[in-house]
Amino acid sequence: MERNEYPVLQIHDLSVRFRAFALEDISLDVFRGDYLALLGVSGAGKTVLLEALAGLVRPAKGRILLNGSEITRDKVQSRGIGLVYQDLSLFPHLSVWKNIAYPLKNKGLSSKQSKSRVEELAGQVEIRHLLDRYPGTLSGGEAQRVALARTLASDPQVLLLDEPLSNLDVKLKGELRGVLRKIHRSGKTMIHVTHDFMEAATLATKVAVVENGRLVQHGTPEEVFRHPRNEFVARFSGIKNLFPCKVVSYASDEGLHEAIINDHVSIRYLGKDGHKSGYVMIPQEDIVVSEKPIESSATNRLEGVIREAYLSGSGMELVVESGVPFVVAVSRQSHENMKLQPGKRVWLNFKAAAVRFMDS
Amino acid sequence: MLNNWKVSLVFLFVSGLVLLFIVAPLAGMFLQTTGAQYAATVSDEEVMRSIRLTLVSSLVGVIIFGILAIPLAYVLARRKFPGKGLVNGLVDLPVVIPHSAAGIALLGVISRNTWIGQAGEAAGIPFVGGMAGIVVAMAFVSIPYLINAARDGFEAVPEKLEKAALNLGASPWRVFFTISLPLAKRHVLTGLTMMWARGLSEFGAVVIIAYHPMVTPVLIWERFASFGLAYARPAAAVFVIICLVVFVLMRLLSGKPPASRHTEG
């Protein structure tokens, strides 16, 4: 896969106002070969951002550059940015073949060139058997592939996808994720709008989070999900042990601080001075469950009672009440060996370094 | 749907009456005309020439003014602009004013005293007393049917499809001719058919601009006024039959008709 540090798409201070949506001061660089997931709740303005990039909505201010050239006010049809709408917008009166060939005619390809390109694209998204069908007869997954092939036919420099997996069942989602990865591996720079953090985490090489029309954080999925910059990002990225707290004491020589949750649960963490309140976050995989307090390097030891135990993915999740409810991940084997059933008293152990503090 | 049997019965009865009201006079006209009268009328060159003139004039009006009206319908469907309500109202004007008044108004624009009238005379296409005038009169009173139907059609085309086509690199012209127009085709064809049918039946505006050459509604009127009902009826019956046949054919060609905005002309 072609990948370098040259931004193919640069967005500078972009503000867009469209009906009920407003985006303010969005700045973002997308590098060649990036797969950027644009995350945000519904109504955050993600689709409007895509339409602004595609030139379908005019920005109130700011600049968009493609390969270093400004395209902010360029015509939609000559921008080189392809958009697959959430509703796909396949042309209902044209066959699948003609839908895919539609952009090729704009490029002035001969019918022979057009034919081989349509077949190539159909092969790439595995829809060769559907070419004579009409959009009205396709399933959701099939239609999504046709829409992808059609937009790829326009050979965009950047491929924008608006919630491409939202209307599909689990099996089809898995299949389509494979298709999207394949397209990405072929070297396409992609921006994928979603409200689903798992979708972003499993596909993207970069993540940008939009909240109330503003870009609140962007970086690699690892950076964003492990170091969320605010409560919204943390909650959005599925982090469960996130608690508001007061900071009561400082031990500045070690950088160790004490945070009090709900006025009675004390958590020690490593962080900077100068905060009086904020949020602490403890990744569930960093919490060790034991039946007795254990001697270890873990600074935080809390006693609690298991309230719930349920299957989660390949393991189990426990909800342990220890003044506040902690969610902890354990393997099924540990769950069986330690008989981690509701009502059982356990100890939660985690290092001060595992606790992340966020300023409120 | 109301399922009370008394209500159903009343609705059924009233519906039957209305249908009878539409069908009975026409059926009466066809039945009261004898086979010999049909044969005589069909071989009457004056009647057949008049029917040809009527069919062709209305068709020419549809072709010329239809091409001009479709872009207007698209603009009304897609663009927002101050005074759009007023423009929509203006489009409906020919439907709501008396057609004899429409004829008088048109005469003020295309009579021999106006520059348009004089330009027509100079070019060998006189409006007053000529086919060009008939075409204008027919188109004037019937064009709202096309504009309204086409506007409804374009409104029903999701704007996103046009945006998607633009995004795929198509020019706005290509988007219009490959996406918007084909998807609104059924409404547009219905509008064209309605415009043509309405043009055929026009009497009031046409008679003021061109008594001669005689379109069939004028010919029927003249035969009735000069010789009475029995003499006018066969020409009327033959004209209606020909119109119905063409109308049914066109409706079949354009598929299932969408709901029309106007039911009265």
Side-chain angles (χ1 to χ4, degrees), chain B residues 60-72 143 146 176 192 195:
Chain B
V60 170
V62 168
I63 291 167
I64 296 173
F65 291 91
I67 289 168
L68 300 174
I70 288 171
L72 171 63
I143 205 162
L146 172 61
F176 180 77
L192 290 168
M195 179 180 174

Side-chain angles (χ1 to χ4, degrees), chain A residues 164-240:
Chain A
L165 306 178
S166 65
N167 298 322
L168 305 175
D169 62 36
V170 177
K171 182 172 171 284
L172 287 175
K173 266 185 192 174
E175 288 174 12
L176 204 68
R177 265 200 291 270
V179 173
L180 294 176
R181 281 197 197 100
K182 197 164 149 189
I183 294 168
H184 181 228
R185 277 200 303 272
S186 75
K188 274 279 171 250
T189 307
M190 295 160 77
I191 301 182
H192 171 146
V193 153
T194 177
H195 61 271
D196 183 340
F197 136 83
M198 279 305 288
E199 209 173 289
T202 53
L203 283 166
T205 58
K206 296 276 180 65
V207 171
V209 185
V210 178
E211 180 193 12
N212 294 329
R214 287 180 184 276
L215 189 67
V216 287
Q217 191 171 359
H218 70 277
T220 64
E222 173 79 4
E223 282 162 9
V224 173
F225 298 141
R226 292 201 71 87
H227 305 285
R229 200 170 286 165
N230 68 13
E231 186 204 353
F232 175 81
V233 179
R235 290 212 187 278
F236 199 71
S237 60
I239 288 166
K240 285 165 182 162

Side-chain angles (χ1 to χ4, degrees), chain A residues 28-66:
Chain A
L28 191 64
D29 283 350
V30 183
F31 291 87
R32 191 170 298 283
D34 269 355
Y35 191 130
L36 173 76
L38 199 63
L39 267 165
V41 293
S42 300
K46 308 182 299 288
T47 301
V48 177
L49 179 57
L50 293 192
E51 290 201 325
L53 296 179
L56 295 162
V57 174
R58 188 150 278 201
K61 75 173 181 72
R63 301 196 311 145
I64 304 165
L65 284 83
L66 189 71

Side-chain angles (χ1 to χ4, degrees), chain B residues 3-196:
Chain B
N3 56 9
N4 181 295
W5 70 270
K6 280 183 190 166
V7 177
S8 300
L9 208 63
V10 170
F11 274 46
L12 209 62
F13 179 69
V14 173
S15 307
L17 275 185
V18 173
L19 286 177
L20 200 64
F21 172 64
I22 295 169
V23 173
L26 290 172
M29 182 173 74
F30 297 138
L31 295 174
Q32 282 169 24
T33 307
T34 63
Q37 283 174 318
Y38 278 119
T41 308
V42 169
S43 54
D44 182 339
E45 187 46 35
E46 191 190 11
V47 174
M48 295 319 286
R49 190 170 54 234
S50 158
I51 290 176
R52 279 197 298 274
L53 172 71
T54 311
L55 294 174
V56 171
S57 299
S58 191
L59 192 61
V60 170
V62 168
I63 291 167
I64 296 173
F65 291 91
I67 289 168
L68 300 174
I70 288 171
L72 171 63
Y74 184 77
V75 168
L76 289 174
R78 279 287 181 263
R79 300 267 180 267
K80 284 181 186 157
F81 54 86
K84 187 173 168 181
L86 181 70
V87 175
N88 275 322
L90 285 177
V91 165
D92 283 337
L93 257 188
V95 176
V96 296
I97 61 172
H99 287 178
S100 49
I104 297 289
L106 278 176
L107 203 54
V109 181
I110 59 172
S111 76
R112 292 189 181 95
N113 301 326
T114 66
W115 68 266
I116 295 178
Q118 285 161 3
E121 296 271 341
I125 41 168
F127 288 102
V128 177
M131 187 178 150
I134 296 170
V135 168
V136 170
M138 285 177 167
F140 182 84
V141 298
S142 60
I143 205 162
Y145 293 88
L146 172 61
I147 297 173
N148 287 326
R151 181 187 53 206
D152 290 352
F154 288 126
E155 275 173 358
V157 177
E159 211 171 340
K160 260 194 184 170
L161 294 182
E162 295 174 351
K163 286 182 172 181
L166 282 174
N167 181 251
L168 293 168
S171 67
W173 284 112
R174 182 159 186 245
V175 174
F176 180 77
F177 285 110
T178 59
I179 306 296
S180 321
L181 195 57
L183 287 173
K185 183 178 75 178
R186 191 173 280 180
H187 283 79
V188 171
L189 284 177
T190 301
L192 290 168
T193 311
M194 292 297 291
M195 179 180 174
W196 183 69

Side-chain angles (χ1 to χ4, degrees), chain A residues 57-350:
Chain A
V57 174
R58 188 150 278 201
K61 75 173 181 72
R63 301 196 311 145
I64 304 165
L65 284 83
L66 189 71
N67 291 324
S69 309
E70 176 149 6
I71 57 157
T72 318
R73 303 204 178 267
D74 280 9
K75 287 179 185 167
V76 181
Q77 60 267 35
S78 53
R79 286 188 164 228
I81 292 185
L83 169 62
V84 180
Y85 274 109
Q86 186 174 2
D87 68 3
L88 308 178
S89 293
L90 293 177
F91 306 135
H93 59 304
L94 302 179
S95 66
V96 167
W97 177 286
K98 286 187 175 171
N99 264 280
I100 299 172
Y102 192 85
L104 301 175
K105 280 208 169 170
N106 300 322
K107 290 176 167 291
L109 260 63
S110 71
S111 59
K112 197 180 164 194
Q113 289 169 316
S114 212
K115 186 170 182 282
S116 75
R117 184 79 179 119
V118 169
E119 282 172 355
E120 183 191 338
L121 288 161
Q124 194 178 353
V125 298
E126 297 155 28
I127 50 159
R128 278 222 175 98
H129 59 295
L130 301 174
L131 287 170
D132 294 330
R133 299 259 294 271
Y134 277 79
T137 68
L138 303 175
S139 71
E142 291 169 341
Q144 184 65 259
R145 286 163 190 253
V146 174
L148 278 169
R150 187 180 68 173
T151 304
L152 287 173
S154 68
D155 200 19
Q157 306 242 16
V158 180
L159 177 62
L160 311 179
L161 307 167
D162 191 1
E163 300 269 8
L165 306 178
S166 65
N167 298 322
L168 305 175
D169 62 36
V170 177
K171 182 172 171 284
L172 287 175
K173 266 185 192 174
E175 288 174 12
L176 204 68
R177 265 200 291 270
V179 173
L180 294 176
R181 281 197 197 100
K182 197 164 149 189
I183 294 168
H184 181 228
R185 277 200 303 272
S186 75
K188 274 279 171 250
T189 307
M190 295 160 77
I191 301 182
H192 171 146
V193 153
T194 177
H195 61 271
D196 183 340
F197 136 83
M198 279 305 288
E199 209 173 289
T202 53
L203 283 166
T205 58
K206 296 276 180 65
V207 171
V209 185
V210 178
E211 180 193 12
N212 294 329
R214 287 180 184 276
L215 189 67
V216 287
Q217 191 171 359
H218 70 277
T220 64
E222 173 79 4
E223 282 162 9
V224 173
F225 298 141
R226 292 201 71 87
H227 305 285
R229 200 170 286 165
N230 68 13
E231 186 204 353
F232 175 81
V233 179
R235 290 212 187 278
F236 199 71
S237 60
I239 288 166
K240 285 165 182 162
N241 299 315
L242 180 75
F243 308 106
C245 66
K246 286 178 191 158
V247 179
V248 291
S249 66
Y250 303 98
S252 56
D253 35 335
E254 284 180 42
L256 201 64
H257 302 290
E258 186 179 3
I260 303 290
I261 307 165
N262 278 2
D263 293 329
H264 62 275
V265 180
S266 168
I267 302 274
R268 284 164 192 266
Y269 69 95
L270 293 169
K272 290 177 188 162
D273 291 343
H275 300 299
K276 287 184 177 165
S277 65
Y279 291 86
V280 283
M281 190 183 73
I282 305 109
Q284 52 175 331
E285 62 273 18
D286 288 340
I287 303 176
V288 175
V289 183
S290 61
E291 289 175 306
K292 292 175 184 160
I294 50 174
E295 281 305 313
S296 74
S297 60
T299 317
N300 293 293
R301 291 189 200 102
L302 302 170
E303 192 180 14
V305 178
I306 298 174
R307 292 282 176 231
E308 287 176 62
Y310 46 82
L311 286 170
S312 171
S314 56
M316 300 287 295
E317 270 188 6
L318 308 177
V319 179
V320 179
E321 181 63 48
S322 176
V324 285
F326 283 84
V327 180
V328 188
V330 292
S331 67
R332 285 193 201 180
Q333 200 177 3
S334 304
H335 175 251
E336 281 172 21
N337 292 348
M338 295 170 68
K339 298 188 175 60
L340 299 172
Q341 299 297 344
K344 185 179 174 90
R345 297 197 78 81
V346 289
W347 286 82
L348 305 177
N349 311 276
F350 49 93

